[in-house]
Amino acid sequence: MLLKHRLKQLRTEKKLTQKELGDHLELTPATISFYEIGRRTPDYETLINISNYFDVSLDYLLGKTHIRNSQTAKYLKDLPSKIVNELSSEPENLNKLMQTIYVAKKNNIQIKGLVKVIESVINAIP
């Protein structure tokens, strides 16, 4: 996924207009629009500001990974790579997985039990 798609996805997830995002980043709405249509590319400093604002890694922002940030990576380290690879092919699935893991950890549910359930679901996929 390209930067222009990720930026628009992140902005719409937060229900921000281009003007609102521009205000947060001290950019014009036109600049945000140009980034989202791929007409312009943010400079290094702006990429860092966008990354910080949305709490995502630069790799995620640039489309090199589906893992949004180091916190996500921390939660995923307990899971077998087969699960992570299968679920991370679709960002929506990875986001749902992250929410499930967060709730499980918050409620002191053992991740091992959660892994068994996820593995059984993945193994059932043809």
Side-chain angles (χ1 to χ4, degrees), residues 12-71:
T12 56
E13 282 177 6
K14 284 199 170 222
K15 297 179 174 51
L16 295 171
T17 64
Q18 290 176 340
K19 180 182 181 341
E20 290 169 330
L21 179 57
D23 289 346
H24 287 291
L25 299 172
E26 298 180 1
L27 300 168
T28 66
T31 299
I32 300 297
S33 175
F34 288 159
Y35 293 161
E36 289 184 359
I37 62 174
R39 192 166 174 194
R40 289 183 57 189
T41 304
D43 61 24
Y44 181 71
E45 184 178 329
T46 302
L47 281 172
I48 291 172
N49 290 339
I50 294 169
S51 166
N52 289 338
Y53 178 75
F54 288 111
D55 189 28
V56 297
S57 70
L58 288 173
D59 281 349
Y60 179 81
L61 193 59
L62 297 173
K64 290 180 64 179
T65 182
H66 292 299
I67 298 174
R68 287 187 178 221
N69 57 35
S70 59
Q71 186 67 25

Side-chain angles (χ1 to χ4, degrees), residues 85-101:
N85 292 338
E86 184 71 33
L87 294 175
S88 67
S89 63
E90 292 293 327
E92 298 80 28
N93 291 343
L94 188 59
N95 290 338
K96 288 177 187 175
L97 174 63
M98 289 305 304
Q99 290 171 350
T100 303
I101 292 171

